[in-house]
Amino acid sequence: KKILIVGGVAGGATTAARLRRLDEKAEIVLFERGEYISFANCGLPYYIGGIIEERDALLVQTPEDMSRKFNIDIRVFNEVTKINREDKSVTVKNLKTEELYQESYDYIVLSPGANPIFPPIPGINEADNLFTLRSIPDTDRIKDYVDNRKPKAAIVIGGGFIGIEMAENLHYRGIEVTLVEMANQIMAPIDYEMAAILHNHLRDKGVQLILEDGVKAFEDSGKKVLLQSGKAVSIDLIILAIGVKPENQLAKEAGLALGEKGGILTNPYLETSDPAIYAIGDAIEINDYINGNPAMIPLAGPANKQGRIAANNIIGKRETYSGTLGTAVAKIFDMTVASTGNNERTLKQLGVNYQAIHLHPGSHAGYYPGAFPISMKLLFESNSGKILGAQAVGHKGVEKRIDVIATAIKGNLTAVDLKELELSYAPPFSSAKDPVNMLGFVAA
Ligand code: FAD
């Protein structure tokens, strides 16, 4: 079998490694248009902030190492520009030599990811201090700007995961940060009352948070940002982090089916509308695990899992992807926010008959020093008790509770079943009745 993989980072690199483990003889070619494969996207903001000190730490696998270890033909600086389905080949451009060549395939796995959204705001192309963050070169550019130009004030546009992580890391670099978000809250996966805790925390830490406002124009080569409210912010650095859109060009031009939001459509085996072409990761539309609706949830865990499934299926297993829960966590200065499943806004929109529980249990036994309350929210179906989602914000032990609930959801436990979970306990870590148990008691 000859398998071509497009994209060499989260999904692509996993697929390549899994394919090799399953099949010693398969011919595997991995194309990556950038210089690096398998780098730690999720670590990029922390390298800019100086928390991750070594740039090399971001490079999880070098092309040479991976190629040697797994016997994979890895071609960096090679962009797949066209899929020729009629003769089962792709056209590839060697970005160093500009040379075009063809490569035949039995199967393709598309893992091209998603690109930062770059809206046509007046003045955006003249703003030479404006950056988006996706790749190592993006990171190098931002870090270089911070190290050498020593900006005093920055604006981060967008209050999602990347925006918030960048706000925090720029703050660590001694930069005055303004964070602008169009919605009335940051962190869209959680509900307003939970996000409000984070709003306070950001403001306490000195981040200027502007909600319900968007950018109208960039002026003075990006030194001034005009907001829709009429406010103007003078800054030296702009980070644009308003979301991502799937890289669907190759798939689109090849006539593969796309979803409404532009994600590549697959069946549960992760085959696209052409069964010789699989697609995974940020570029695909998945089903929301809770409500079954189509969704785009760009996260590293799902991309990795999908890569494994696609590889298994190419080798002849029949494994399905069951959908994405969207379990996620982020550090916001001294706090942690984590969530899984649907939030209350979504449930309301869908007209689900649900109940919500809010609790504020301690992260561990109150008599042991250092306990902090965790604000927790559990959402479950009124009649069946089916768990629909959970959110938590606090200083410690936040993600552990959400991970337990995410596991409970996958195991089809109900809200009441949470009271029966036997979870590890000693005073520095939890209470004899863990916060997750407490949610179950209240639900009962
Ligand atoms: P990617 O990892 O983006 O890989 C796609 C690759 O394909 C790219 O390198 C691209 O150059 C290449 N490519 C595209 N088209 C072609 C082509 N035609 N030819 C050759 N190569 C091509 N997720 C989490 O779960 N937790 C986090 O904390 C987290 N933090 C993040 C922080 C940042 C700054 C960023 C940018 C992302 C973060 N993510 C996080 C998201 C996570 O990185 C993505 O969900 C994941 O990388 C998606 O994997 P992928 O394989 O679909 O795409």
Side-chain angles (χ1 to χ4, degrees):
K1 279 187 186 132
K2 181 169 176 186
I3 303 140
L4 308 184
I5 301 172
V6 181
V9 190
T14 303
T15 309
R18 178 71 183 159
L19 279 169
R20 176 54 75 228
R21 288 205 176 94
L22 293 171
D23 186 342
E24 275 181 20
K25 297 205 186 74
E27 187 180 349
I28 306 168
V29 188
L30 186 148
F31 299 98
E32 168 55 55
R33 68 177 172 217
E35 182 179 354
Y36 304 98
I37 58 155
S38 196
F39 63 85
N41 326 46
C42 311
L44 303 179
Y46 300 98
Y47 172 65
I48 294 168
I51 294 172
I52 298 174
E53 290 177 4
E54 296 296 324
R55 186 175 178 279
D56 276 356
L58 300 171
L59 306 173
V60 181
Q61 295 254 24
T62 63
E64 298 73 35
D65 285 350
M66 185 162 181
S67 171
R68 203 174 328 114
K69 198 161 149 202
F70 292 99
N71 183 25
I72 292 165
D73 181 351
I74 298 178
R75 302 188 196 168
V76 291
F77 290 124
N78 276 259
E79 179 167 16
V80 176
T81 55
K82 194 161 179 269
I83 303 173
N84 314 301
R85 286 166 60 197
E86 51 308 332
D87 67 356
K88 284 193 121 180
S89 74
V90 298
T91 306
V92 186
K93 184 174 186 184
N94 180 327
L95 298 175
K96 288 236 142 142
T97 61
E98 301 274 304
E99 168 211 3
L100 287 177
Y101 62 96
Q102 311 271 112
E103 197 67 59
S104 66
Y105 66 82
D106 294 311
Y107 292 100
I108 297 180
V109 179
L110 295 174
S111 191
N115 252 329
I117 294 172
F118 199 84
I121 299 173
I124 194 165
N125 291 318
E126 287 71 55
D128 47 23
N129 57 349
L130 182 143
F131 303 90
T132 55
L133 178 61
R134 176 180 182 192
S135 62
I136 299 267
D138 295 339
T139 309
D140 289 339
R141 279 190 285 271
I142 300 173
K143 185 147 190 304
D144 182 64
Y145 196 92
V146 173
D147 290 348
N148 297 315
R149 307 284 280 271
K150 310 220 178 322
K152 291 198 171 53
I155 189 164
V156 176
I157 305 163
F161 288 88
I162 295 175
I164 289 176
E165 289 175 357
M166 279 311 298
E168 174 175 349
N169 279 288
L170 292 175
H171 177 90
Y172 289 149
R173 298 294 308 266
I175 300 170
E176 291 267 317
V177 180
T178 302
L179 180 67
V180 183
E181 164 59 54
M182 189 93 96
N184 66 349
Q185 65 165 86
I186 60 165
M187 282 286 163
I190 62 172
D191 290 310
Y192 179 82
E193 76 283 10
M194 305 296 285
I197 305 167
L198 301 173
H199 298 164
N200 289 338
H201 189 58
L202 281 172
R203 286 177 172 135
D204 282 350
K205 290 289 171 182
V207 171
Q208 181 168 6
L209 181 61
I210 303 179
L211 297 169
E212 295 181 85
D213 209 346
V215 176
K216 194 164 145 202
F218 298 101
E219 289 184 348
D220 199 7
S221 309
K223 292 281 186 284
K224 194 166 156 196
V225 179
L226 278 189
L227 301 182
Q228 266 145 19
S229 60
K231 253 186 226 139
V233 189
S234 292
I235 36 79
D236 314 302
L237 167 66
I238 306 167
I239 304 288
L240 184 69
I242 56 171
V244 295
K245 60 173 187 329
E247 285 220 36
N248 59 14
Q249 199 60 22
L250 262 187
K252 197 169 164 181
E253 283 172 15
L256 301 179
L258 301 181
E260 254 177 43
K261 296 183 176 118
I264 304 169
L265 285 185
T266 69
N267 64 16
Y269 301 105
L270 300 174
E271 294 163 345
T272 64
S273 50
D274 178 340
I277 306 177
Y278 287 76
I280 58 171
D282 288 1
I284 70 166
E285 181 176 289
I286 45 75
N287 289 325
D288 180 306
Y289 185 82
I290 298 291
N291 59 47
N293 289 337
M296 305 290 300
I297 304 182
L299 288 170
N304 277 276
K305 289 184 187 70
Q306 292 158 11
R308 199 182 155 90
I309 292 172
N312 288 350
N313 290 342
I314 288 171
I315 298 306
K317 305 191 180 190
R318 286 310 264 169
E319 208 184 325
T320 55
Y321 184 69
S322 58
T324 301
L325 260 179
T327 310
V329 59
K331 170 182 173 319
I332 300 185
F333 289 93
D334 305 337
M335 299 195 87
T336 307
V337 51
S339 65
T340 187
N342 287 173
N343 59 28
E344 194 168 355
R345 278 195 314 281
T346 306
L347 298 177
K348 273 196 180 130
Q349 272 163 19
L350 295 174
V352 176
N353 188 8
Y354 68 89
Q355 270 173 263
I357 292 176
H358 287 89
L359 281 185
H360 304 274
S363 52
H364 59 256
Y367 56 81
Y368 187 91
F372 287 97
I374 306 177
S375 297
M376 301 188 74
K377 177 170 186 175
L378 180 74
L379 295 152
F380 58 99
E381 206 168 57
S382 301
N383 299 331
S384 66
K386 177 186 168 187
I387 304 171
L388 302 170
Q391 302 162 31
V393 176
H395 286 76
K396 278 182 177 181
V398 169
E399 70 291 354
K400 161 163 115 169
R401 274 59 191 220
I402 290 300
D403 283 345
V404 168
I405 298 173
T407 310
I409 294 176
K410 283 265 171 170
N412 292 321
L413 299 186
T414 65
V416 176
D417 290 334
L418 297 179
K419 73 179 162 53
E420 304 213 6
L421 296 181
E422 189 184 317
L423 301 169
S424 57
Y425 159 62
F429 304 102
S430 182
S431 301
K433 291 190 278 258
D434 187 88
V436 175
N437 296 140
M438 300 296 290
L439 290 169
F441 293 134
V442 176

